[in-house]
Amino acid sequence: SEDSGPRAIVLSIASDANEKYTFEALFRSYSLALVDNATTEYEFIMQFFVSPKARQRITGSDMARMVFSHIFDPSMRVGEQFLKAYLETTYDALGVLLCVRIMSQLASELQRRQVPVLDSYVNSMNMLLWPRFQAILDGHIESAKRLASYKAKSKIDTQPPAIVRRYAELASSLLRLNQGYNTHVVALSLARLRTEVQAYLTHVADGSSDKHASLVFLINSYDLLLTVLYENGFSEREEEVSSWKQEFATTVMAFAESELEKHFGYLKLFVVDAERQSDIAQISADELGRTASVFNGEWRAQISAINSSIIQSFSNFRTGTEILHIVLGQLIIYYTRFHSLYDKRIARRAASASEICQPVGVQTVMVDIKKYRNNF
């Protein structure tokens, strides 16, 4: 439209300034010039070659199209050849999609001006653009699929691989170019590519014998993806963001359980086994006391060890803090369940509770955990 950006590139000015332009800029400039000239020519034809009465009939419109085609067919063929030459060699999905959006905007402008004589030209250009866009995206999808077929290394690098940032930047650009259009082809292709990238990341993680490193690798990769998407202004309303956010949350929870297994495995095991008992009296009072004794003796040191492990694993302050809170939050949940079991079991025991080791209070543990809130 008239106010949607700079007008057509003027060759003499561009040459004097020694400026270089991308294909999309040149394509837009050519298309703008074509539309402006087509509008002027169409109005002239309607005024001088079609009578006022004929303008109200289909025959008048057909006559105008015929005259216009005779004059403008060579110019339109130049545009088609210009685009074909570019599409034969380009692998730039974003450039092709930009050209699609340029045609869409020009079609809207032609409709606003009530100039119907370029409809077939717009359709033919889209017929060239969309298949090439799909072919390029299919190539990216196949490339990601091939990556997942290679044998993964047993020793894993916990930092995100290059494909993660490349994918995140491409996805952000595709989403931005699809805003206001919601084209199914773009959304479907991006969803297919996302599936293959996820498969690749899972493949790399599964190839490692170090479960801790695998989880850190996945979390760091998901975190980078989400960071790029958020920086580009996208929220969880977008399927792309919500999908990766779900993967991130699931993996963080798995990491939290893994950390607790490493540092408080005995507590988790006791709570899970005890809660399966149909009668609270079936819980061993001696085992209850031993679990409380072990926890009392090492809980501060183990929480400190968890904090150190997370500091070393995650360089992103925000992510590390979030994960630390989740891990320690899970610890509080398990310990609260342990305390509940302890209180119920003691209530059913005839002997004095003093015979069983008294566990440290939940509130005491929570106060100590708060010290780590700003330590990461």
Side-chain angles (χ1 to χ4, degrees):
S1 64
E2 295 294 337
D3 58 351
S4 62
R7 303 305 298 163
I9 298 168
V10 179
L11 181 58
S12 59
I13 297 175
S15 298
D16 291 343
N18 196 28
E19 294 186 16
K20 297 184 182 298
Y21 297 92
T22 61
F23 175 83
E24 306 88 70
L26 296 172
F27 181 75
R28 180 180 183 275
S29 177
Y30 173 83
S31 300
L32 284 172
L34 182 67
V35 167
D36 286 344
N37 284 281
T39 301
T40 302
E41 190 66 32
Y42 178 74
E43 290 174 350
F44 174 79
I45 291 170
M46 291 296 289
Q47 182 176 356
F48 286 92
F49 290 92
V50 182
S51 67
K53 289 184 177 180
R55 291 175 202 170
Q56 308 302 318
R57 302 194 299 271
I58 295 177
T59 54
S61 177
D62 288 343
M63 183 185 299
R65 289 175 186 272
M66 182 179 66
V67 175
F68 179 87
S69 296
H70 180 73
I71 298 170
F72 260 78
D73 271 355
S75 297
M76 291 189 285
R77 281 199 298 272
V78 168
E80 290 180 6
Q81 292 303 317
F82 181 47
L83 182 61
K84 282 180 180 178
Y86 167 71
L87 295 179
E88 285 174 0
T89 57
T90 187
Y91 291 90
D92 181 6
L94 298 178
V96 175
L97 188 55
L98 273 169
C99 291
V100 170
R101 299 313 183 209
I102 288 168
M103 294 310 301
S104 178
Q105 289 179 1
L106 292 181
S108 298
E109 179 63 14
L110 287 166
Q111 187 175 27
R112 185 186 71 81
R113 297 182 184 185
Q114 296 183 336
V115 177
V117 287
L118 286 181
D119 290 352
S120 60
Y121 172 77
V122 171
N123 290 336
S124 65
M125 298 298 262
N126 281 327
M127 289 295 288
L128 293 173
L129 287 164
W130 277 118
R132 185 57 185 159
F133 172 80
Q134 188 64 69
I136 295 172
L137 262 294
D138 286 345
H140 288 318
I141 292 166
E142 288 303 314
S143 179
K145 188 178 295 185
R146 283 195 300 273
L147 282 175
S149 68
Y150 298 147
K151 184 178 180 180
K153 297 178 181 179
S154 57
K155 187 175 181 181
I156 192 171
D157 181 356
T158 58
Q159 294 306 305
I163 188 179
V164 172
R165 177 167 286 280
R166 291 173 186 169
Y167 169 80
E169 297 288 358
L170 176 61
S172 296
S173 299
L174 290 174
L175 287 172
R176 188 166 299 282
L177 288 174
N178 206 33
Q179 284 182 325
Y181 297 94
N182 299 319
T183 309
H184 181 67
V185 172
V186 177
L188 181 60
S189 295
L190 185 55
R192 289 171 57 210
L193 183 55
R194 180 173 66 244
T195 298
E196 297 304 332
V197 171
Q198 175 61 62
Y200 165 69
L201 294 175
T202 303
H203 171 70
V204 174
D206 290 346
S208 173
S209 56
D210 187 340
K211 182 181 178 182
H212 173 86
S214 295
L215 291 171
V216 172
F217 163 77
L218 288 174
I219 291 171
N220 282 333
S221 296
Y222 299 149
D223 182 50
L224 177 57
L225 280 163
L226 289 168
T227 297
V228 173
L229 289 166
Y230 288 142
E231 286 175 349
N232 280 277
F234 299 108
S235 67
E236 291 183 37
R237 289 193 298 271
E238 293 284 350
E239 183 183 352
E240 184 69 22
V241 178
S242 62
S243 177
W244 289 116
K245 184 70 174 177
Q246 180 61 46
E247 295 290 346
F248 177 82
T250 301
T251 310
V252 166
M253 190 55 66
F255 176 84
E257 292 294 330
S258 177
E259 283 295 286
L260 290 181
E261 187 70 38
K262 185 192 307 181
H263 298 280
F264 293 97
Y266 64 92
L267 178 68
K268 279 184 60 179
L269 181 62
F270 178 83
V271 169
V272 172
D273 287 346
E275 288 178 341
R276 288 176 182 158
Q277 304 299 327
S278 57
D279 186 350
I280 196 71
Q282 294 176 335
I283 299 175
S284 168
D286 292 338
E287 188 64 28
L288 189 69
R290 280 194 294 271
T291 302
S293 178
V294 173
F295 185 89
N296 289 355
E298 63 179 37
W299 66 274
R300 281 195 173 91
Q302 292 299 334
I303 289 176
S304 178
I306 289 173
N307 181 61
S308 297
S309 172
I310 292 177
I311 287 176
Q312 294 169 12
S313 299
F314 306 102
S315 57
N316 186 318
F317 177 86
R318 175 188 56 79
T319 302
T321 301
E322 179 183 349
I323 292 171
L324 179 62
H325 290 170
I326 290 172
V327 174
L328 297 182
Q330 283 296 104
L331 171 61
I332 290 297
I333 290 173
Y334 277 111
Y335 193 57
T336 301
R337 287 158 63 184
F338 172 78
H339 249 275
S340 177
L341 291 166
Y342 180 91
D343 293 340
K344 291 177 182 177
R345 182 66 180 86
I346 293 306
R348 294 285 298 273
R349 184 177 171 86
S352 171
S354 61
E355 297 178 11
I356 302 178
C357 179
Q358 180 76 23
V360 64
V362 175
Q363 192 63 33
T364 301
V365 177
M366 292 180 67
V367 169
D368 206 75
I369 282 176
K370 288 180 181 179
K371 299 175 184 178
Y372 294 93
R373 179 169 296 174
N374 299 315
N375 282 4
F376 189 85

